Amino acid sequence: MRQTGARVGTLIHGLAASGLCLALAGSDTGAATAQPPPDLTTLSIDQLMDIEVVYGASKYEQKTGDAPASVSIVTAEEIKRYGYRTLGEILAGVRGFYATYDRNYTYLGVRGFARAGDYNSRVLLLVDGHRSNDIIFGQALLGTEGPIDVELIDRVEVIRGPSSSIYGTGAFFGVVSVITKQGKDLSGTAVSAAGASYSTRSGRVAYGTTLKNGADLVLGASVLASDGRELFFKDFDTPATNNGLTRNDDDEYHRLFAKVTFGNFRLEAAHSSRRKGVPTASFNQLFNDTRAETTDERSSLEMKYERAFSRLGNFTGRAYLDRYYYFGDYPYDAPPVTLYKDFTWGYWWGTEGQVTLPPHRGNRVTSGFEFHDNYRQDLRAYDVSPYFEYYDRRKSSTDLGVYLQDEIAARKTLTFNLGLRYDYYTTFGDALNPRVSIIYSPRDRTTLKALYGTAFRAPNAYELYYNASALGYKPPPGLAPESISTTELVLEQYVGGNLRLSGSLFHNSSKEMINLAIDPLDNLKYFDNLDRLEASGVEFELQRRWARGWEIRFSSAYQTSRAPGTPGPVANSPHNLSKLNLFAPFLGKRLAAGLEMQYTSSRHTVANTDVGGFLAVNLTLLSKELAPGLEISATVSNLLDKRYADP
């Protein structure tokens, strides 16, 4: 039953005071004196290019121009400038990406693909290199349900294109790699409180330090509670259903995070829990019943070891234990009126190892392995009264992947990057995925990239095991993994120290896409490899920075998607996404403004209708030095009060 409900209504809008942060110096806690991080706002784009690195593209640090992918990086400073509060909001500001919200979960669209009913299972989410997608739905949690507080994020690396050659399943349309802050970045205690529309209140406390023995420590905790807004649904506009009005839109979460780095070891633990009221009466639930809600919990514990050997290269190993829990309450009038309860439990452990050899005769070789033991993939559903059990599945699976990558510097201006990964799954068999990149720099500050790669998405536990004839579903006949191949050309050009131009041409070809089918013999639904998808597009971006910190960034993405053999346009696939970001420090650090404008063109719906395009404008005011250690920001979302709809 856990599928996406249609969103009806408008974007939440109003004044959000998101900040009020008090930071205390860390020296009084026994910490070593920490060097303040460099002020990136004072650097030119040319200087930033020399220090800006990406880790997630190749599993080792390299300049973005050397990465075998089209890469965007969102820094902690940009997160503050534009008032982003969730990972979904951060990604919605990235070129070629868009987000939708169904009053429960946040869903990510990439280059014209955001199919209704999907769970962000085609984008791989990493937190400090740790795979965050769960083992039931394969879902990356991006909204208030997300696993990490954005205030603890140092940067977000967005790596476009297939990356199964080093990451395996899920790295289908791209990889989102979140890098958290270190203790030296915090250098003490920070406390913040925020209030916003619809009785939304939140708080956060974070502590970071570097001790005299060299240990680096980060601790964080955050909470949020919101009553949500009153929503009107035209389809329920009758006296029997409260004239279409409901307030079951409440939201609450708590998050905990801890990271200790000492020598070559790092121990990291995270826990998040989010409960959300479901106001949309999705899947024929009772309207305006306050019992309708979902709960998502995500926990992880990881130990990482990394060491650089002068002759043997760099070795990285990690072992981890993860947990995911989902619980849903869905009131129905069967009749009689009953409460349908939906559960999933996912428990798994895994280990990874990687060796990156030192460059030798222009070659930089990386090899590694991953093993995952998904020892509990359980699904259960039943009615409370009268009691009726629909299914109780107790499943498990394992998978193993090995990969090899070689970065070949054929000459100073020409580099080849070749990668290959083999995966074996107990649920379906094996998969083999290559990546080939040619990176050419004919002159300083100019880079051309020709990229080709394939990726796969393994059938998840929900698609394999969600079946009960009483619910109208039956087992799939045997699901194969989805696959995609991508060809892309990328240009990156730096002009005059403060101007950066970038753009790309791409073509995606996906097949064996998993979707619901209906058997005409018994009228039961089942998952099957049914669909193909073709998408082509062009993207470009311009970024300009001035000496006093003023900055402008404009991007536009045009894409065309089609499903061969299917009439009509692809649903929820905008032809154009254009974005403008302007940062203006009026009084230095005492007062600055971040203006964000996002245009989304019209989109087709699964009901064979269209929703119009719209322009959303957000404004953030930020002050860092009204008083020592005090930072205040205020954000107005949907400044122009634009009414719009998402498919």
Side-chain angles (χ1 to χ4, degrees):
M1 299 300 297
R2 188 174 181 269
Q3 300 174 23
T4 324
R7 176 186 174 191
V8 182
T10 60
L11 179 74
I12 292 179
H13 55 275
L15 180 64
S18 55
L20 221 63
C21 174
L22 174 64
L24 304 178
S27 57
D28 60 346
T29 62
T33 302
Q35 295 296 323
D39 186 357
L40 301 183
T41 63
T42 64
L43 302 181
S44 69
I45 289 180
D46 207 32
Q47 292 170 320
L48 283 173
M49 188 201 73
D50 289 329
I51 66 172
E52 189 176 68
V53 296
V54 58
Y55 180 87
S58 299
K59 286 192 174 182
Y60 54 77
E61 287 191 348
Q62 58 189 158
K63 291 183 180 180
T64 55
D66 298 332
S70 172
V71 176
S72 293
I73 295 180
V74 184
T75 65
E77 180 64 28
E78 291 175 294
I79 292 172
K80 285 186 177 182
R81 286 179 177 183
Y82 302 109
Y84 298 139
R85 298 172 302 279
T86 67
L87 189 55
E89 291 182 1
I90 294 172
L91 295 174
V94 174
R95 182 184 80 224
F97 283 62
Y98 57 108
T100 56
Y101 176 55
D102 68 348
R103 316 304 310 182
N104 196 359
Y105 296 97
T106 296
Y107 304 91
L108 189 65
V110 182
R111 290 181 164 177
F113 186 93
R115 191 169 61 180
D118 287 342
Y119 290 129
N120 298 328
S121 60
R122 296 177 183 87
V123 172
L124 178 62
L125 175 61
L126 305 172
V127 178
D128 289 331
H130 182 89
R131 180 183 289 266
S132 186
N133 299 58
D134 68 76
I135 62 167
I136 303 296
F137 307 101
Q139 182 174 12
L141 300 172
L142 302 177
T144 58
E145 71 276 13
I148 193 74
D149 191 328
V150 296
E151 294 286 350
L152 294 175
I153 294 176
D154 177 68
R155 70 181 189 272
V156 178
E157 303 173 351
V158 180
I159 299 119
R160 299 173 181 83
S163 295
S164 284
S165 63
I166 56 173
Y167 287 110
T169 185
F172 201 82
F173 289 117
V175 174
V176 175
S177 178
V178 176
I179 311 298
T180 62
K181 293 178 178 177
Q182 300 180 38
K184 63 183 180 181
D185 300 323
L186 298 171
S187 297
T189 303
V191 179
S192 70
S197 303
Y198 314 116
S199 298
T200 301
R201 54 273 184 208
S202 62
R204 176 185 68 93
V205 59
Y207 173 75
T209 187
T210 301
L211 302 177
K212 292 181 179 180
N213 62 4
D216 190 272
L217 174 66
V218 176
L219 299 173
S222 59
V223 296
L224 175 141
S226 175
D227 294 346
R229 63 177 297 182
E230 183 177 66
L231 297 164
F232 171 71
F233 294 87
K234 184 178 179 180
D235 297 89
F236 296 99
D237 189 9
T238 66
T241 52
N242 198 36
N243 297 312
L245 295 174
T246 179
R247 292 207 62 123
N248 190 35
D249 189 39
D250 54 310
D251 193 352
E252 60 184 52
Y253 69 67
H254 65 265
R255 299 183 182 127
L256 300 171
F257 180 81
K259 179 171 66 172
V260 181
T261 305
F262 184 70
N264 301 117
F265 290 92
R266 187 186 75 199
L267 179 65
E268 186 165 311
H271 172 77
S272 63
S273 178
R274 195 284 300 255
R275 187 199 64 81
K276 179 68 176 67
V278 182
T280 56
S282 51
F283 320 115
N284 298 315
Q285 294 181 69
L286 290 175
F287 180 75
N288 198 36
D289 192 313
T290 57
R291 295 176 295 174
E293 65 178 32
T294 61
T295 298
D296 292 84
E297 291 188 0
R298 184 74 172 85
S299 307
S300 63
L301 176 65
E302 178 184 274
M303 174 68 79
K304 178 182 177 182
Y305 176 81
E306 185 171 13
R307 184 174 179 181
F309 298 91
S310 58
R311 296 186 178 181
L312 300 178
N314 190 77
F315 171 77
T316 302
R318 68 175 83 213
Y320 48 86
L321 180 65
D322 281 60
R323 169 185 176 269
Y324 173 69
Y325 169 70
Y326 159 77
F327 171 76
D329 273 352
Y330 300 97
Y332 285 94
D333 186 0
V337 173
T338 186
L339 193 64
Y340 173 90
K341 288 185 174 286
D342 191 14
F343 300 86
T344 68
W345 298 267
Y347 292 83
W348 67 103
W349 70 272
T351 183
E352 302 176 13
Q354 176 181 299
V355 175
T356 300
L357 300 179
H360 178 67
R361 293 184 178 179
N363 285 40
R364 188 177 189 180
V365 177
T366 300
S367 62
F369 76 93
E370 294 183 35
F371 174 77
H372 307 113
D373 181 8
N374 309 311
Y375 61 91
R376 281 193 66 180
Q377 293 174 292
D378 300 347
L379 300 88
R380 187 187 180 199
Y382 63 88
D383 286 339
V384 173
S385 180
Y387 180 82
F388 181 83
E389 186 168 87
Y390 292 97
Y391 57 85
D392 187 1
R393 309 273 186 258
R394 308 293 175 94
K395 300 294 183 178
S396 63
S397 65
T398 59
D399 59 88
L400 172 68
V402 293
Y403 58 91
L404 179 67
Q405 180 179 256
D406 190 4
E407 183 181 273
I408 307 168
R411 61 179 71 173
K412 186 177 180 180
T413 59
L414 183 63
T415 301
F416 297 93
N417 193 296
L418 311 175
L420 184 67
R421 173 163 169 149
Y422 171 81
D423 288 270
Y424 178 78
Y425 281 71
T426 57
T427 52
F428 68 84
D430 52 13
L432 188 67
N433 289 274
R435 178 170 70 179
V436 179
S437 306
I438 304 173
I439 303 171
Y440 177 55
S441 300
R443 59 179 61 90
D444 193 31
R445 306 313 193 211
T446 301
T447 302
L448 294 167
K449 302 178 183 180
L451 313 172
Y452 172 80
T454 69
F456 76 103
R457 184 183 76 85
N460 59 49
Y462 170 66
E463 293 160 340
L464 289 169
Y465 308 128
Y466 177 77
N467 54 81
S469 57
L471 295 173
Y473 287 77
K474 67 179 184 179
L479 290 178
E482 299 179 345
S483 63
I484 185 174
S485 62
T486 295
T487 304
E488 185 171 2
L489 297 175
V490 178
L491 169 65
E492 298 174 358
Q493 176 71 57
Y494 296 81
V495 181
N498 281 308
L499 177 64
R500 173 164 58 184
L501 304 171
S502 60
S504 62
L505 295 167
F506 68 88
H507 176 74
N508 294 334
S509 179
S510 309
K511 59 183 181 179
E512 303 291 346
M513 304 292 281
I514 297 173
N515 208 344
L516 278 174
I518 299 178
D519 190 334
L521 298 179
D522 53 22
N523 209 34
L524 293 178
K525 304 182 187 72
Y526 63 96
F527 288 101
D528 202 359
N529 297 99
L530 295 175
D531 298 338
R532 293 176 56 205
L533 182 72
E534 303 283 339
S536 299
V538 57
E539 302 173 347
F540 69 90
E541 184 171 72
L542 177 151
Q543 183 179 5
R544 177 75 162 87
R545 173 173 287 187
W546 285 266
R548 294 188 177 183
W550 287 64
E551 185 174 335
I552 187 171
R553 183 176 72 246
F554 175 76
S555 70
S556 194
Y558 298 86
Q559 58 263 327
T560 300
S561 301
R562 66 185 186 92
T566 302
V570 175
N572 197 18
S573 180
H575 289 300
N576 176 233
L577 295 167
S578 293
K579 301 171 185 182
L580 176 67
N581 291 71
L582 174 65
F583 180 70
F586 295 108
L587 299 174
K589 293 185 178 180
R590 294 180 64 86
L591 180 63
L595 180 69
E596 180 178 51
M597 305 174 71
Q598 298 182 357
Y599 171 74
T600 304
S601 66
S602 63
R603 288 167 288 175
H604 201 63
T605 75
V606 293
N608 203 31
T609 60
D610 290 293
V611 295
F614 64 93
L615 176 68
V617 180
N618 307 315
L619 176 66
T620 296
L621 299 178
L622 175 66
S623 177
K624 292 186 177 182
E625 293 185 358
L626 281 181
L630 180 64
E631 182 176 296
I632 298 176
S633 68
T635 296
V636 182
S637 298
N638 197 10
L639 180 66
L640 303 181
D641 200 19
K642 175 67 177 179
R643 288 181 171 270
Y644 65 90
D646 286 322

